[in-house]
Amino acid sequence: MSVLVYAESPKGKFKKTSLEVVYYGHLAAKAMNTDCIALVLGSTSDAAVLGKYGASKVIHVTDDSLDNFDAQTHSTAITKVAENVGANLVVFGFTANGKALTGRVGVKMNASILSGVSSVPNLENGFVLRKSVFSGKANAHYNLKKENKVISLMGNSFQIEELGSSAEVETMTLDLPTAKTVVKELKTVEGTVPLPEAELVVSAGRGMKGPENWGIIEELARTLGATTACSRPVADTGWRPHHEHVGQTGVAIRPNLYIAAGISGAIQHLAGVNKSKVIVVINKDPEAPFFKAADYGICADLFDVVPRLNEALKKFKQNN
Amino acid sequence: MTYICVKFNQEKMEILVCISKTPETTAKIAFTDGGKNFDTQGVQFIMNPYDEWYALVRAIELKEQLGGKVTVINVGDAASDIVIRKALAIGADEAVRVDVNPQSAIYTAKQIAEYVKSNSFDAVFLGKETIDYNGAEVGAMVSEYLDLPYFSFASNIETDGLKSRITRDVEGGVEISEVEGRFVLSAAKGLAEQRIPNMKGIMMAKRKPLNVIPAVGEDDSLEIISYDLPEGKSGVKMIDPENMDELVRLLHEESKVI
Ligand SMILES: Cc1cc2nc3c(=O)[nH]c(=O)nc-3n(C[C@H](O)[C@H](O)[C@H](O)COP(=O)(O)OP(=O)(O)OC[C@H]3O[C@@H](n4cnc5c(N)ncnc54)[C@H](O)[C@@H]3O)c2cc1C
Ligand SMILES: Nc1ncnc2c1ncn2[C@@H]1O[C@H](COP(=O)(O)O)[C@@H](O)[C@H]1O
């Protein structure tokens, strides 16, 4: 019995979500009285670093065909390693690739499968995990009844801590099927943190009146080192690119800070942002529903407030 | 000869689209029996938006372009018939309902995969996730049961029925892949534009076949023990618009996010 966590390493580097998964695996292993083993697929520079976040050992499958994402080959590799180390809990991040793998590995292992969990297993009465449902409006507590369990962890559910030193790395080669899909291109926006991983987000809505006014939002984001987002009508009318659309039908985010200017706070918008740790709302309408979901509210014209907030932040950055 | 030329490099596509029903987004979420069961009283159900707006519409577009057939499948009890009829009104050709109320994604996936095994399809389309349980799980499981390639969160697909080029959303960008032959895809925003059923479609839907079939196997991997409501915000603190230094101070000292 052991816990196996899959630490994604796109372009050879670990993302924050990969470290979170390792740290979570360590907490789960502790609750289950066993060890947390981390798995890395494809080329990466520093697999041993995962020891710092709680892996007692790292298994590194070095086959560079694994640098290309293919759900069939990746899930085969992960399942083989899980069998090899006798893992009965396999943990993924709730990421694009994690979502494509959780179900596949779960089926291969004939496991109980649960995605987007946000708690350490409670073993008092079975194997119980919590996940957020109904777009953040409730939590459900599930009992996973099969011997094997395959789960994915909701991002930002745990504050990572550094625990130990680097771990021993065991390299492994596996007999893998050839991929049926060929990745032609990976186009990612460089320079900014992608929305699902961003800690700080500045977002704006129809209250901006038009795309030509976005300069103040971009400037505020630059001062903070934040990623920009927007409400759906703004993306739908082409004021902002689609990948900035947050909410129920866009990206769901959970940053530490979400600043919303000129967004009314419709329930479908809240569904994607209500897990943010701190929410600041700037709206000139005191009745705007968003104020009910906010930690801090400023009831005023955003065209006055946003530049003023930017100045205040610049001053703060200079002094800190 | 000429006939062969016309058909060259273009294949009809038979696509299976998986549709689910979810509570309408503004529905009030409440529970009965001390948090044991979801209270469906007064809750209106709709077709899951990703299934309706993107997966179903793109499948219909491909049928219109290449010829073929669109079948929709739902795993659910008779309460699902209303969303199935809507899918037929939008333009699906026929429907099948596996008559069981699933408790887990893997059981749902098993039913869909069994149906595909006994009725061959060129592709299976799903939504990227259901908006109630937000699992994004069923697609991966169906592809595993069928041993097919899987493209999650597809925002674009070009295909001639044989060879397909698919763009999928990944963190901070997109990944473009190619595949030959059958595959499973989950639909994200951008794959198609929403279609509203017209009167003719609604009338025609009544005459289209809806086959109800029994479920296979046991649904024994998961159970929901209870629900609860997350702690809400303790209340908003209003800040003087003239005093943004105060907001910055609170973000730094009180909530420690900057
Ligand atoms: C099925 C479904 C799914 C949806 N999914 C999403 C989703 O994923 N994401 C999403 O965002 N929406 C979604 N929507 C749309 C949602 O219901 C709202 O229509 C949308 O969020 C409103 O966008 P908004 O707040 O930018 O615009 P509005 O509702 O028009 O609000 C603009 C706000 O700006 C304020 N304002 C105007 N001028 C100023 C000023 N000078 N200074 C300060 N404040 C000002 C106004 O008081 C108002 O509150 C969905 C809807 C449906 C039906
Ligand atoms: N009961 C169901 N019947 C048919 N398809 C379903 C069902 N549940 C989920 N799906 C499909 O699977 C997708 C992903 O659902 P989920 O994994 O539950 O988030 C949905 O968008 C649907 O296309």
Side-chain angles (χ1 to χ4, degrees):
Chain A
M1 195 176 92
S2 68
V3 175
L4 182 71
V5 300
Y6 170 51
E8 269 180 65
S9 51
K11 296 180 180 162
K13 291 198 200 86
F14 296 114
K15 302 189 291 187
K16 181 176 155 238
T17 45
S18 319
L19 307 180
E20 268 172 24
V21 168
V22 174
Y23 179 68
Y24 174 84
H26 154 82
L27 296 179
K30 212 161 71 178
M32 294 162 67
N33 215 348
T34 178
D35 285 330
C36 165
I37 300 167
L39 169 62
V40 182
L41 300 180
S43 37
T44 182
S45 47
D46 187 16
V49 73
L50 298 177
K52 277 196 199 161
Y53 303 95
S56 61
K57 183 168 115 183
V58 180
I59 293 177
H60 184 188
V61 182
T62 46
D63 192 332
D64 35 299
S65 72
L66 291 166
D67 291 348
N68 227 343
F69 182 73
D70 175 77
Q72 271 169 309
T73 355
H74 277 64
S75 59
T76 305
I78 295 163
T79 309
K80 283 190 175 177
V81 174
E83 275 164 13
N84 224 309
V85 301
N88 56 349
L89 173 66
V90 180
V91 188
F92 293 90
F94 198 49
T95 59
N97 289 351
K99 287 172 191 173
L101 293 169
T102 307
R104 288 204 97 116
V105 172
V107 167
K108 283 187 204 288
M109 292 179 63
N110 186 25
S112 287
I113 308 167
L114 192 63
S115 290
V117 308
S118 59
S119 71
V120 173
N122 179 343
L123 308 182
E124 268 164 43
N125 254 317
F127 192 97
V128 178
L129 286 164
R130 179 186 67 211
K131 81 172 261 187
S132 162
V133 293
F134 299 113
S135 303
K137 287 188 264 181
N139 296 314
H141 301 265
Y142 286 86
N143 185 21
L144 281 63
K145 297 196 282 189
K146 297 263 172 157
E147 170 78 25
N148 288 332
K149 285 113 183 150
V150 176
I151 65 174
S152 65
L153 173 69
M154 180 59 87
N156 279 349
S157 298
F158 292 88
Q159 194 74 44
I160 314 174
E161 281 171 42
E162 287 200 19
L163 299 157
S165 48
S166 52
E168 166 210 348
V169 180
E170 181 186 328
T171 51
M172 204 181 259
T173 45
L174 294 171
D175 200 9
L176 294 173
T178 39
K180 283 190 214 156
T181 58
V182 188
V183 177
K184 290 285 173 187
E185 243 180 292
L186 179 62
K187 289 195 248 180
T188 48
V189 189
E190 298 294 334
T192 52
V193 187
L195 266 180
E197 288 163 33
E199 307 261 10
L200 306 167
V201 175
V202 177
S203 184
R206 274 216 303 232
M208 293 297 293
K209 309 280 188 292
E212 67 281 4
N213 296 330
W214 242 266
I216 52 170
I217 296 298
E218 283 171 345
E219 216 165 294
L220 180 61
R222 215 171 303 128
T223 307
L224 265 170
T227 304
T228 49
C230 68
S231 67
R232 178 167 154 196
V234 162
D236 281 353
T237 48
W239 291 4
R240 298 297 293 174
H242 275 303
H243 65 82
E244 283 196 0
H245 159 196
V246 291
Q248 183 191 84
T249 43
V251 188
I253 56 172
R254 345 172 110 203
N256 281 333
L257 175 62
Y258 184 70
I259 302 181
I263 300 177
S264 57
I267 192 145
Q268 298 90 357
H269 184 85
L270 293 181
V273 304
N274 61 5
K275 292 279 170 179
S276 309
K277 196 167 153 215
V278 173
I279 296 178
V280 176
V281 168
I282 304 167
N283 198 303
K284 67 176 182 190
D285 174 10
E287 301 295 319
F290 218 151
F291 284 124
K292 290 204 184 71
D295 298 274
Y296 304 111
I298 303 132
C299 185
D301 190 328
L302 71 90
F303 293 103
D304 292 334
V305 171
V306 172
R308 218 178 283 145
L309 175 57
N310 187 37
E311 287 313 312
L313 276 165
K314 274 192 180 154
K315 207 164 67 190
F316 167 79
K317 294 254 157 170
Q318 267 161 18
N319 300 333
N320 282 272
Chain B
M1 256 331 250
T2 29
Y3 283 118
I4 293 167
C5 283
V6 173
K7 272 287 288 170
F8 182 70
N9 230 4
Q10 179 156 322
E11 280 290 306
K12 284 187 181 168
M13 264 191 112
E14 304 220 336
I15 304 174
L16 182 69
V17 181
C18 307
I19 59 169
S20 51
K21 96 181 188 317
T22 64
E24 192 261 321
T25 40
T26 54
K28 189 160 164 38
I29 302 301
F31 304 99
T32 58
D33 313 313
K36 279 218 152 34
N37 296 303
F38 174 50
D39 185 1
T40 52
Q41 197 148 56
V43 173
Q44 208 191 328
F45 286 90
I46 57 168
M47 196 183 331
N48 187 44
Y50 294 105
D51 311 354
E52 178 186 332
W53 303 350
Y54 311 125
L56 176 61
V57 175
R58 189 65 186 128
I60 294 169
E61 285 171 359
L62 289 173
K63 179 196 81 173
E64 289 166 351
Q65 181 194 328
L66 303 168
K69 191 171 77 180
V70 173
T71 306
V72 291
I73 187 169
N74 169 266
V75 183
D77 55 27
S80 292
D81 286 351
I82 175 166
V83 301
I84 297 175
R85 288 288 170 206
K86 182 167 189 198
L88 293 170
I90 291 171
D93 300 290
E94 55 182 62
V96 54
R97 178 165 63 77
V98 183
D99 194 17
V100 67
N101 204 351
Q103 303 301 310
S104 64
I106 194 168
Y107 191 63
T108 303
K110 175 93 187 152
Q111 308 308 316
I112 295 169
E114 288 300 319
Y115 186 74
V116 175
K117 280 180 190 164
S118 49
N119 301 266
S120 91
F121 290 95
D122 299 305
V124 180
F125 284 14
L126 304 94
K128 88 166 190 185
E129 65 182 29
T130 47
I131 61 168
D132 49 1
Y133 289 89
N134 315 96
E137 297 173 304
V138 175
M141 297 169 180
V142 169
S143 22
E144 181 59 32
Y145 278 126
L146 298 171
D147 196 23
L148 288 178
Y150 175 48
F151 302 92
S152 52
F153 299 7
S155 54
N156 189 56
I157 172 172
E158 298 304 329
T159 180
D160 58 15
L162 293 168
K163 208 169 174 188
S164 308
R165 187 179 172 89
I166 297 164
T167 305
R168 59 185 284 264
D169 293 343
V170 296
E171 283 80 12
V174 296
E175 187 179 87
I176 301 166
S177 306
E178 283 182 358
V179 65
E180 260 177 70
R182 303 166 72 214
F183 61 90
V184 178
L185 161 162
S186 83
K189 186 185 175 187
L191 194 71
E193 294 285 337
Q194 185 178 3
R195 283 191 190 181
I196 311 289
N198 57 26
M199 210 50 213
K200 185 165 161 246
I202 295 167
M203 295 313 292
M204 277 167 63
K206 296 194 175 129
R207 291 196 301 270
K208 291 178 178 170
L210 193 176
N211 303 314
V212 179
I213 60 172
V216 292
E218 294 281 323
D219 193 1
D220 59 358
S221 70
L222 282 183
E223 63 184 338
I224 294 185
I225 311 277
S226 63
Y227 294 94
D228 55 35
L229 300 173
E231 326 78 82
K233 295 273 179 193
S234 51
V236 58
K237 201 177 259 184
M238 297 306 289
I239 315 277
D240 175 6
E242 303 294 329
N243 193 356
M244 284 301 101
D245 291 332
E246 174 63 3
L247 176 62
V248 171
R249 187 189 68 78
L250 288 167
L251 291 176
H252 180 59
E253 289 174 13
E254 188 176 69
S255 52
K256 300 188 172 61
V257 289
I258 58 170

Short mmCIF file of all heavy atoms in Angstrom, two decimals, chain B residues 93-113:
data_model
loop_
_atom_site.label_atom_id
_atom_site.label_comp_id
_atom_site.label_asym_id
_atom_site.label_seq_id
_atom_site.Cartn_x
_atom_site.Cartn_y
_atom_site.Cartn_z
N ASP B 93 -30.59 13.23 -34.87
CA ASP B 93 -31.48 12.37 -35.64
C ASP B 93 -32.24 11.36 -34.80
O ASP B 93 -33.38 11.04 -35.07
CB ASP B 93 -30.67 11.62 -36.71
CG ASP B 93 -30.01 12.59 -37.64
OD1 ASP B 93 -30.73 13.24 -38.42
OD2 ASP B 93 -28.77 12.75 -37.58
N GLU B 94 -31.56 10.81 -33.80
CA GLU B 94 -32.23 9.86 -32.93
C GLU B 94 -31.60 9.86 -31.55
O GLU B 94 -30.54 10.46 -31.35
CB GLU B 94 -32.22 8.46 -33.53
CG GLU B 94 -30.83 7.96 -33.88
CD GLU B 94 -30.89 6.59 -34.53
OE1 GLU B 94 -31.50 6.48 -35.61
OE2 GLU B 94 -30.33 5.64 -33.94
N ALA B 95 -32.29 9.22 -30.61
CA ALA B 95 -31.83 9.29 -29.24
C ALA B 95 -31.95 7.94 -28.56
O ALA B 95 -32.78 7.12 -28.93
CB ALA B 95 -32.66 10.31 -28.47
N VAL B 96 -31.08 7.76 -27.56
CA VAL B 96 -31.20 6.56 -26.74
C VAL B 96 -31.03 6.99 -25.29
O VAL B 96 -30.26 7.90 -24.98
CB VAL B 96 -30.17 5.48 -27.17
CG1 VAL B 96 -28.77 6.03 -27.18
CG2 VAL B 96 -30.24 4.27 -26.26
N ARG B 97 -31.81 6.40 -24.42
CA ARG B 97 -31.68 6.68 -22.99
C ARG B 97 -31.45 5.36 -22.25
O ARG B 97 -32.21 4.41 -22.43
CB ARG B 97 -32.93 7.38 -22.45
CG ARG B 97 -32.86 7.65 -20.95
CD ARG B 97 -33.90 8.65 -20.47
NE ARG B 97 -35.27 8.20 -20.67
CZ ARG B 97 -35.89 7.30 -19.90
NH1 ARG B 97 -35.25 6.73 -18.87
NH2 ARG B 97 -37.14 6.95 -20.14
N VAL B 98 -30.37 5.33 -21.47
CA VAL B 98 -30.10 4.15 -20.64
C VAL B 98 -30.82 4.40 -19.33
O VAL B 98 -30.53 5.36 -18.61
CB VAL B 98 -28.59 3.96 -20.42
CG1 VAL B 98 -28.32 2.70 -19.63
CG2 VAL B 98 -27.84 3.94 -21.75
N ASP B 99 -31.77 3.56 -19.04
CA ASP B 99 -32.75 3.84 -18.00
C ASP B 99 -32.24 3.55 -16.59
O ASP B 99 -32.61 2.55 -15.98
CB ASP B 99 -34.01 3.01 -18.30
CG ASP B 99 -35.19 3.48 -17.49
OD1 ASP B 99 -35.13 4.61 -16.97
OD2 ASP B 99 -36.16 2.71 -17.39
N VAL B 100 -31.40 4.43 -16.07
CA VAL B 100 -30.90 4.26 -14.71
C VAL B 100 -30.44 5.63 -14.22
O VAL B 100 -30.02 6.47 -15.01
CB VAL B 100 -29.73 3.24 -14.68
CG1 VAL B 100 -28.50 3.78 -15.41
CG2 VAL B 100 -29.35 2.86 -13.26
N ASN B 101 -30.53 5.87 -12.94
CA ASN B 101 -30.08 7.13 -12.37
C ASN B 101 -28.66 6.92 -11.83
O ASN B 101 -28.49 6.37 -10.76
CB ASN B 101 -31.05 7.50 -11.25
CG ASN B 101 -31.04 8.99 -11.00
OD1 ASN B 101 -30.19 9.71 -11.56
ND2 ASN B 101 -31.95 9.45 -10.18
N PRO B 102 -27.63 7.34 -12.57
CA PRO B 102 -26.27 6.96 -12.18
C PRO B 102 -25.79 7.69 -10.92
O PRO B 102 -26.12 8.84 -10.71
CB PRO B 102 -25.43 7.37 -13.39
CG PRO B 102 -26.20 8.47 -14.04
CD PRO B 102 -27.65 8.19 -13.77
N GLN B 103 -25.01 7.00 -10.10
CA GLN B 103 -24.45 7.59 -8.89
C GLN B 103 -22.99 7.99 -9.08
O GLN B 103 -22.41 8.68 -8.27
CB GLN B 103 -24.52 6.60 -7.71
CG GLN B 103 -25.90 6.09 -7.41
CD GLN B 103 -26.85 7.23 -7.08
OE1 GLN B 103 -26.54 8.07 -6.24
NE2 GLN B 103 -27.99 7.28 -7.76
N SER B 104 -22.37 7.51 -10.15
CA SER B 104 -20.95 7.78 -10.35
C SER B 104 -20.66 7.97 -11.83
O SER B 104 -21.38 7.45 -12.68
CB SER B 104 -20.12 6.60 -9.82
OG SER B 104 -20.42 5.45 -10.59
N ALA B 105 -19.60 8.73 -12.11
CA ALA B 105 -19.22 9.00 -13.49
C ALA B 105 -18.80 7.71 -14.19
O ALA B 105 -19.09 7.49 -15.37
CB ALA B 105 -18.07 10.01 -13.52
N ILE B 106 -18.14 6.82 -13.46
CA ILE B 106 -17.63 5.61 -14.10
C ILE B 106 -18.78 4.70 -14.55
O ILE B 106 -18.70 4.06 -15.60
CB ILE B 106 -16.64 4.86 -13.16
CG1 ILE B 106 -15.86 3.81 -13.94
CG2 ILE B 106 -17.33 4.26 -11.95
CD1 ILE B 106 -14.68 3.22 -13.19
N TYR B 107 -19.86 4.72 -13.81
CA TYR B 107 -21.02 3.91 -14.20
C TYR B 107 -21.67 4.51 -15.45
O TYR B 107 -22.04 3.78 -16.38
CB TYR B 107 -22.00 3.84 -13.03
CG TYR B 107 -23.10 2.84 -13.22
CD1 TYR B 107 -22.82 1.48 -13.32
CD2 TYR B 107 -24.43 3.24 -13.28
CE1 TYR B 107 -23.84 0.56 -13.48
CE2 TYR B 107 -25.46 2.33 -13.43
CZ TYR B 107 -25.16 0.98 -13.54
OH TYR B 107 -26.16 0.07 -13.71
N THR B 108 -21.77 5.83 -15.48
CA THR B 108 -22.29 6.51 -16.67
C THR B 108 -21.43 6.16 -17.88
O THR B 108 -21.94 5.81 -18.95
CB THR B 108 -22.26 8.04 -16.44
OG1 THR B 108 -23.01 8.35 -15.27
CG2 THR B 108 -22.82 8.80 -17.63
N ALA B 109 -20.11 6.26 -17.70
CA ALA B 109 -19.17 6.01 -18.80
C ALA B 109 -19.30 4.57 -19.30
O ALA B 109 -19.25 4.31 -20.50
CB ALA B 109 -17.74 6.28 -18.34
N LYS B 110 -19.46 3.65 -18.38
CA LYS B 110 -19.60 2.23 -18.74
C LYS B 110 -20.84 2.03 -19.64
O LYS B 110 -20.76 1.31 -20.65
CB LYS B 110 -19.76 1.43 -17.43
CG LYS B 110 -20.04 -0.02 -17.62
CD LYS B 110 -18.75 -0.81 -17.59
CE LYS B 110 -19.02 -2.27 -17.94
NZ LYS B 110 -17.85 -2.88 -18.56
N GLN B 111 -21.94 2.69 -19.30
CA GLN B 111 -23.16 2.54 -20.10
C GLN B 111 -22.94 3.08 -21.51
O GLN B 111 -23.37 2.47 -22.50
CB GLN B 111 -24.34 3.29 -19.45
CG GLN B 111 -24.59 2.98 -17.99
CD GLN B 111 -24.70 1.49 -17.71
OE1 GLN B 111 -25.36 0.76 -18.45
NE2 GLN B 111 -24.03 1.03 -16.66
N ILE B 112 -22.29 4.24 -21.60
CA ILE B 112 -22.05 4.87 -22.90
C ILE B 112 -21.12 3.97 -23.74
O ILE B 112 -21.38 3.71 -24.91
CB ILE B 112 -21.46 6.29 -22.72
CG1 ILE B 112 -22.49 7.19 -22.02
CG2 ILE B 112 -21.03 6.88 -24.06
CD1 ILE B 112 -21.95 8.52 -21.54
N ALA B 113 -20.06 3.48 -23.09
CA ALA B 113 -19.09 2.65 -23.81
C ALA B 113 -19.74 1.36 -24.33
O ALA B 113 -19.50 0.93 -25.45
CB ALA B 113 -17.90 2.33 -22.91
#
